[in-house]
């Protein structure tokens, strides 16, 4: 009888331990982080000539900022998504403090929540979240000194902005 009571106590404490952990555990493991590529940015000698070359030889629909690729989101293929391709002047300071000639922009689901979690993980957050009609942005650094741009997009407003500019997307 003592053996049964002892086994039941062990089993109950085991179950209660899991229940307590589930209630008190940080749910950040379930949080979406990066959901796609938001853009590729790179330095070059002459951004205007670079945009023109890609337009003429690879068929990109370029504008003053580069090109926008239009696609449909995997999680909901009725929604459009966009990725930006942008050549920057070699003299740009936009990539600083990174010394690299490129920067990747990643699309994210919930920027505030992600930045909060990244800070807990001691990731270097370079600046404060900036909000525009077409989304929210912040920059972080990876472990090798690459500056990364995180973007929580508002694809509807991003598309409207492109239409106001008269820009076409590359499909």
């Amino acid at each position: 009888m003592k053996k049964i009571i002892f086994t039941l106590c062990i089993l109950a404490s085991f179950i209660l331990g899991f229940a307590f952990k589930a209630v008190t555990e940080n749910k950040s493991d379930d949080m979406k982080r990066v959901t796609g590529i938001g853009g590729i940015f790179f330095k070059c000698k002459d951004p205007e000539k670079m945009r023109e070359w890609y337009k003429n030889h690879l068929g990109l629909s370029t504008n003053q900022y580069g090109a926008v690729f239009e696609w449909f989101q995997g999680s909901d293929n009725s929604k459009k998504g966009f990725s930006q391709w942008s050549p920057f002047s070699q003299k740009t300071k936009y990539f600083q403090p990174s010394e690299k000639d490129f920067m990747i922009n990643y699309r994210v689901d919930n920027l505030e929540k992600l930045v909060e979690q990244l800070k807990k993980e001691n990731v270097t957050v370079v600046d404060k979240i900036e909000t525009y009609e077409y989304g929210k942005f912040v920059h972080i650094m990876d472990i090798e000194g690459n500056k990364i741009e995180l973007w929580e997009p508002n694809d509807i407003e991003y598309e409207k902005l492109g239409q106001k500019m008269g820009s076409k997307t590359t499909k």
Side-chain angles (χ1 to χ4, degrees):
M1 181 72 157
K2 287 183 180 180
K3 198 174 193 180
I4 293 173
I5 293 174
F6 178 74
T7 303
L8 288 175
C9 287
I10 295 294
L11 183 61
S13 64
F14 185 72
I15 291 170
L16 288 173
F18 270 110
F20 180 76
K21 183 177 181 186
V23 170
T24 61
E25 187 177 61
N26 184 348
K27 296 290 182 186
S28 66
D29 293 341
D30 298 336
M31 175 180 64
K32 284 186 181 180
R33 292 189 184 224
V34 169
T35 61
I37 301 291
I40 305 292
F41 310 134
F42 62 96
K43 293 180 184 180
C44 61
K45 292 178 184 175
D46 189 333
E48 187 176 332
K49 283 184 182 177
M50 188 67 77
R51 289 189 300 270
E52 193 65 26
W53 188 93
Y54 275 85
K55 178 180 180 180
N56 292 335
H57 299 288
L58 296 181
L60 270 61
S61 295
T62 59
N63 60 40
Q64 64 186 356
Y65 301 107
V68 176
F69 291 88
E70 179 181 320
W71 43 270
F72 288 90
Q73 298 185 30
S75 60
D76 181 350
N77 63 13
S78 69
K79 291 182 180 178
K80 288 183 185 178
F82 301 94
S83 297
Q84 178 72 39
W85 171 89
S86 295
F88 280 75
S89 166
Q90 283 182 324
K91 297 177 183 177
T92 188
K93 303 217 183 288
Y94 189 61
F95 299 1
Q96 289 182 351
S98 176
E99 296 177 12
K100 306 294 172 78
D101 289 338
F102 68 91
M103 182 172 61
I104 299 176
N105 168 299
Y106 292 104
R107 295 170 59 98
V108 301
D109 190 49
N110 183 328
L111 191 58
E112 283 95 0
K113 189 175 179 181
L114 179 56
V115 167
E116 182 180 307
Q117 183 62 33
L118 292 173
K119 286 179 179 178
K120 289 178 186 174
E121 296 168 358
N122 296 316
V123 172
T124 301
V125 179
V126 176
D127 47 19
K128 293 180 182 175
I129 295 174
E130 292 191 31
T131 303
Y132 302 91
E133 296 85 25
Y134 51 91
K136 299 174 185 176
F137 297 85
V138 75
H139 298 94
I140 64 171
M141 300 295 286
D142 73 13
I143 60 171
E144 290 195 5
N146 298 302
K147 186 175 180 184
I148 297 167
E149 186 170 71
L150 301 177
W151 173 35
E152 181 184 326
N154 179 334
D155 289 310
I156 294 168
E157 292 301 318
Y158 189 77
E159 184 174 29
K160 287 179 187 176
L161 178 64
Q163 289 168 347
K164 284 181 191 174
M165 293 173 40
S167 296
K168 294 183 178 184
T169 60
T170 300
K171 299 179 187 180

